[in-house]
Structures are given as C-alpha cells and as structure tokens.
Amino acid sequence: MTEQATALPTAAREAEAEAPARTRRRRHLLETLRAIALGLGFPILLVLLWHWAVAYTGTRLIPSPRQVAVMMYDFAFGGVYDDAFSATILTHIWKSMQRVYGGFFLAALSGIPLGLMIGRIKLMRELLDPTINLLRPIPVTAWLPLSMIFFGLGPNAAIFLVFLGAFYPILLNTVFGVRSVDVRLFEAAAMLGCTGSAMFRQVVLPASLPAIFNGLRIAHGFAWILIVVGEMTGVPTGLGSVIMDGRTLSRTDLVVTGMIVIGVCGFVTDRIIVTLSNRLLAWSPQHHA
Amino acid sequence: MPETQAQAVLALRGVTKRFPVGDGEIEALARIDLAIGRGEFVCLIGASGCGKSTLLRIVAGFEEPTTGEVAVRGRKIAGPASDRGMVFQDYALFPWMTVRQNIGFGPRQRGLSRREVDAIADEFARLVGLERFADRYPSQLSGGMKQRVAIARVLANDADILLMDEPFGALDALTREQLQRELLQIWMRTHVTILFVTHSVEEAVLLADRVLVMSAGPGRIENSIAIGLARPRDVASPEFNAVRRDVARRLTSHLIPARDREPSLAG
C-alpha cells in the first residue's frame, strides 16, 4: 500500500516530529500575539487622532476620548455624575440583547427551515420566491410605522424590526446553500436508503451548513445594527434608547458611549458565532474564518 | 461466469432514453436489451457521449427510461434503492462525515443501533484497508482512499450490484492499478455483481468477465465480448494483448461516421 505509507507518518517520523512541535507551538503563539497587537494598534491610532482633532479644533460638539472614558466609567460603575444613566450598563445591555436575540433567533428558526424547503422543493420555490424578492428591497426602517401599529410601543416592535432585518440574509443564504450542494450527494443518499424528512435532516441541512453560517453571521451583524432603529420605537431601556436619549439631551459623550458598547457587544458575540461555526464546520477546509 | 437470462440478477428490456433539447429531442439510447448474471463482472466501454453513463444512471434509478424497464431479480425497479450501489467518479462522499460515518450511512438508514452501525462500518473500513483512517474527514484523504470509502459505503449497505461510473478515471496510474487489484479481490470475496463503465480498453479487459462495447448516436450495445483470460491477468502477456487488440478494434470500428458503416454491424 504505497499510498498509505506516504500518507501515514511512521513511528520513526512521529518521534522526529516531536521536537519541532514545541517550536511550532511557540511560532503559533508569536503569530497570535502579533495579530492581536496589529488588531489593537489601529483603533488606538484612531483614538489618538480623535483626541488630537478635538484638542486642535477646540470643538464642544464632539466629546474628547477622555470625556467618553469618564462617561463610560460612570455608565458602568456610577459615582461620577450619579444621574439616570449611572451604573445602568448591564440593564441596557441585557434589554438590548433580549431584543437582538429575540429577533435573531426568530429569524433563524423560520429562515433556515423555509430556506431548506425553498431550495429543495420546486413548488415552494415557485410559490414563495417572487413574494420574497418583492418584500426584500423594502428597507426595515420603512416598516417602523406599521410595526408600531402592529405591536404597540414596546419591545415587540423592536424584536419585529430586528427579525425583519435578520430574516432575509438567513433565508437567502440557506436557499443558496441548498442550491449549490452537489446533486450527487442527494443521489448517493437516496441510493443508500435515505428519503423524505431524513434527507433534510441528514443531508440537506449539514451540506448547506457553511452557507447557513455565512447567513447567520451577516444577519447577526444586521441585528445589532437594527437595535438602534428598533429602540427608536419608544422603549425606555436598551442601548439604542440610550443613544436616542443622548441625542435628545445633547449629550454626545453618552451617544458615543452607547455606540462603543454596541460595537463591543457585536464584536464579542460575532467571535462566538465564528468559534461555533469553526467547530461545527471542522470538516470543511474552505470555511475557516 | 455468464448465466442464462432466467437467472439474471439484472435485466434491461427494451430500454430507450430520449432527452428533450430545445424544441426537439436527442435520442441518447436506442433499444437496449441486456442480462447480467449473479456475480458477473461486466465492463461497459465506449467513447465519451455514447450513453454509457446514462445507461448506468438508469440502472441506478436516478433517471427513468423513456420506454422499457429495468428489473433486479425479476422485479421492476422504481427509483434508487440500496440493492444497487453507485460508485461515482468524483466519489460523492458526505464531506461533513468521517470515514466511519460515511460507510455507516446506509446501515444507519435501516434504523440499526449506533453500536451495530459502527461495527458494520469498521468491518467494511477494514475490507478496503482504511481502518486506521476511520475518524478522518474526506477532505483529509487522497483520491484513492476516497474511492475506497465510496466502495465500502455501498458494500456496507448490502448492495449486491455495484454500479461504477469510471470510478478510477480521476486517479493517477499507480493508484488506479492498485485499486483495480483491490476491487478484483473484493469482488472475488463478496461475490457482488459489478457493472463497470470505463473508456479504457485495458481496464475493461483486465477486470471483466464480459465487455460490452457501446457506440454512439444513438447509444447501443454493439458487441458483447466474453473475456476468457485466466485470473489473475497479466497485462504484459501476449494473450492479454491479443484480447486487448481485438476489443480495441471492435471499439474503434464504431467510431467511423454512421453513414459509412456497414449495415451488418448495426445488429
């Protein structure tokens, strides 16, 4: 078996590879540190530019990084301004996350099964595809008045708007994923005795998973973007409402603080999705993000 | 080991296939009648576009014949089923499953317990020499290993008819020879019936009990040549070369344009 001999490291070769393994680990660590340094370096540079620009122009409309840092500290721990926003960060994050993930999971729960069916069943495609492509170009913000009539002034309207924004990328990527699966895989499954709903669960879904995860990631980004729009609907708490309040009160330090918190929340949760997808898609060498 | 039509495990009666193209139709297969005996190794050879893959896909149940029928052990087939396992040229392994899960896919559909499925999968991984790679994903295997998985996957599902569509066409010469040897060993050990599509005369003569020569426009079986060479066959022997020349001659005689062909050959 010449082929196996080349593919399998022999015991001797494994022993030989033992020593370089440590160097390889060290090189990997250095590589990671370098990536972190570069990734952090650029935002630090931006903050320096910001500081310099505010100091140079002497504007009072834009807060300096220092003022925002103080606001951030007060928002998180209190003890500086002791107003309605002091030490309320967790409440706002928690409320916003409920809306972001309420809308996001509703979109995933409906978009993925619907996408699998539209991708695989011709009748569903013919029935739904024109309608979806008609509704899709309508901006989410255009739904704002109607959603407030449907759901009243409250969190449900925000969840609905997030859902709308997250639904289309999930649906379209799922459909695309199913449509681009090699037909042979379905044939292979059929000849091995796989039919009906087992086909969806065991072949269609896993085969489309790389595309589905792309859709989830895009939709997740949209969900955080839309939270500000969603919380314009007159809810008292949430990061979006903090920004709206900051605008009304002309407190730009509060506005920028809210922006940064949303950015960080979106970043951290995106990393969770990427980690999850890398784990679930370990079989797909093309999909490491 | 040719057998009579009555004992045929696979029988095609009056199978034709026409594809719609634009306003018209293309006749891909003219009337095909064929009987393959239990345990027989039949190679289907012909130039590309002669309809040999279409014929195989009809036998697999992936496509329906326009007229005629395919019967397995006397019963008309209705779509793909686990008694006929296809081995594709491009493997068609499930990339999200390990070697063990790919091989165990068929048994799993039959509702066996996880332990039984794994036992069967390991047994067939051993049969194709991949027991040490059972936990790898297809993307981590070479082409030859992938094709071994594909063969094990249909055998593990108790397929007793193996349909192979140029299975070694994408492999390098060394790997191909090795897999041809292994396929013959598996065939002798398991007594499966094999219908093997190839465009290599040498491969057909090396493997088959019987070589069916197909010609194009529309596709039909021109010759059925029994290969009487003793096994194992030596590709360098004069006997082998004589048979190969004979098959090659019959194959190329159909490549001349249809209008120049002698009517007597068309029968």
Side-chain angles (χ1 to χ4, degrees):
Chain A
M1 302 236 158
T2 43
E3 202 190 338
Q4 292 195 3
T6 49
L8 238 198
T10 57
R13 222 183 294 164
E14 270 168 28
E16 206 180 24
E18 189 61 32
R22 204 173 303 147
T23 359
R24 219 174 22 242
R25 262 200 300 279
R26 191 175 308 151
R27 197 180 312 146
H28 183 74
L29 184 71
L30 281 175
E31 194 60 34
T32 314
L33 286 175
R34 181 172 168 272
I36 291 173
L38 282 176
L40 274 177
F42 192 66
I44 289 173
L45 186 74
L46 284 183
V47 170
L48 286 175
L49 273 176
W50 168 18
H51 169 81
W52 176 79
V54 171
Y56 181 79
T57 57
T59 178
R60 289 170 160 257
L61 295 173
I62 304 285
S64 69
R66 192 186 168 74
Q67 285 170 293
V68 172
V70 172
M71 181 61 231
M72 184 77 84
Y73 181 89
D74 183 68
F75 193 40
F77 307 109
V80 183
Y81 302 122
D82 283 324
D83 55 16
F85 299 102
S86 299
T88 55
I89 188 169
L90 289 179
T91 318
H92 292 295
I93 290 180
W94 172 239
K95 287 286 177 195
S96 286
M97 280 185 108
Q98 282 178 346
R99 288 156 201 160
V100 166
Y101 289 100
F104 176 74
F105 283 120
L106 275 180
L109 239 51
S110 53
I112 294 173
L114 200 60
L116 293 179
M117 284 192 284
I118 290 176
R120 188 84 182 115
I121 304 169
K122 194 161 171 254
L123 177 73
M124 292 290 282
R125 194 158 52 243
E126 290 168 339
L127 183 72
L128 296 176
D129 199 56
T131 313
I132 286 165
N133 284 307
L134 193 83
L135 292 174
R136 192 162 58 93
I138 300 171
V140 174
T141 38
W143 285 94
L144 192 64
L146 282 187
S147 80
M148 288 166 81
I149 294 169
F150 293 157
F151 298 101
L153 299 173
N156 286 345
I159 290 173
F160 174 70
L161 291 177
V162 170
F163 162 81
L164 271 182
F167 177 73
Y168 293 109
I170 294 176
L171 180 79
L172 293 183
N173 276 277
T174 305
V175 173
F176 169 78
V178 177
R179 304 288 292 158
S180 48
V181 175
D182 184 359
V183 184
R184 298 228 187 291
L185 293 186
F186 299 134
E187 290 179 347
M191 95 193 166
L192 294 167
C194 184
T195 50
S197 64
M199 182 76 102
F200 272 98
R201 212 176 49 250
Q202 293 183 37
V203 184
V204 183
L205 177 66
S208 328
L209 216 50
I212 291 175
F213 261 101
N214 275 335
L216 288 177
R217 205 178 161 195
I218 296 168
H220 178 257
F222 278 155
W224 276 105
I225 290 171
L226 286 167
I227 193 62
V228 179
V229 182
E231 289 174 348
M232 278 181 197
T233 54
V235 290
T237 46
L239 296 168
S241 78
V242 167
I243 291 176
M244 295 317 291
D245 288 348
R247 178 184 161 217
T248 321
L249 301 169
S250 300
R251 283 185 60 180
T252 42
D253 55 346
L254 187 58
V255 171
V256 176
T257 299
M259 289 165 71
I260 292 173
V261 175
I262 288 178
V264 170
C265 285
F267 177 84
V268 171
T269 43
D270 181 66
R271 292 324 294 173
I272 293 172
I273 290 190
V274 168
T275 309
L276 192 69
S277 89
N278 281 350
R279 177 156 307 177
L280 280 173
L281 301 174
W283 51 270
S284 171
Q286 299 96 316
H287 194 78
H288 273 240
Chain B
M1 42 195 115
E3 300 185 24
T4 63
Q5 183 120 8
Q7 292 166 296
V9 64
L10 177 66
L12 280 70
R13 280 183 286 271
V15 167
T16 66
K17 181 72 182 175
R18 283 190 290 273
F19 290 110
V21 175
D23 294 336
E25 275 187 332
I26 281 188
E27 191 177 14
L29 292 176
R31 197 184 155 82
I32 305 259
D33 291 287
L34 177 64
I36 293 176
R38 214 177 95 78
E40 204 179 0
F41 197 136
V42 175
C43 277
L44 202 56
I45 191 169
S48 40
C50 74
K52 51 192 196 300
S53 291
T54 305
L55 183 59
L56 203 66
R57 290 177 57 78
I58 288 173
V59 173
F62 298 146
E63 292 188 33
E64 280 189 41
T66 308
T67 63
E69 63 169 41
V70 179
V72 172
R73 274 180 233 87
R75 289 183 55 186
K76 190 179 174 211
I77 64 159
S82 55
D83 53 356
R84 287 152 284 133
M86 179 83 124
V87 175
F88 301 90
Q89 180 174 2
D90 47 8
Y91 325 116
L93 299 178
F94 304 118
W96 60 92
M97 294 185 192
T98 62
V99 168
R100 181 181 289 116
Q101 289 165 333
N102 263 286
I103 300 177
F105 186 85
R108 200 173 137 210
Q109 306 308 315
R110 300 203 301 266
L112 300 179
S113 77
R114 204 198 150 121
R115 212 150 42 92
E116 289 169 303
V117 170
D118 282 350
I120 293 172
D122 285 338
E123 179 194 334
F124 283 89
R126 211 174 308 120
L127 180 76
V128 295
L130 286 179
E131 62 272 30
R132 298 162 77 186
F133 298 88
D135 294 313
R136 294 247 193 132
Y137 287 104
S139 61
Q140 300 166 316
L141 302 178
S142 69
M145 292 156 113
K146 284 183 202 171
Q147 204 52 294
R148 288 200 189 104
V149 177
I151 293 169
R153 182 172 68 172
V154 289
L155 292 175
N157 198 31
D158 285 340
D160 49 9
I161 302 174
L162 228 58
L163 307 171
M164 309 184 83
D165 190 3
E166 303 193 26
F168 308 147
L171 305 177
D172 65 87
L174 270 171
T175 311
R176 188 184 315 135
E177 278 174 33
Q178 193 188 338
L179 276 171
Q180 287 166 343
R181 263 197 309 278
E182 289 179 19
L183 177 64
L184 283 173
Q185 285 167 9
I186 288 169
W187 171 62
M188 289 180 192
R189 232 182 307 167
T190 56
H191 310 292
V192 289
T193 308
I194 300 181
L195 183 55
F196 188 108
V197 164
T198 178
H199 56 247
S200 155
V201 174
E202 181 172 307
E203 186 167 61
V205 174
L206 176 70
L207 297 174
D209 292 321
R210 187 150 60 105
V211 175
L212 303 173
V213 179
M214 278 189 81
S215 67
R220 60 200 172 280
I221 296 172
E222 294 279 359
N223 289 106
S224 170
I225 307 161
I227 307 294
L229 295 166
R231 297 178 191 274
R233 291 171 184 167
D234 177 6
V235 291
S237 71
E239 297 82 10
F240 187 94
N241 268 306
V243 175
R244 178 167 60 182
R245 258 197 306 279
D246 180 44
V247 174
R249 191 176 46 76
R250 297 206 216 192
L251 181 65
T252 48
S253 72
H254 305 304
L255 292 181
I256 55 173
R259 63 189 145 79
D260 298 338
R261 201 184 299 137
E262 291 166 33
S264 63
L265 271 176

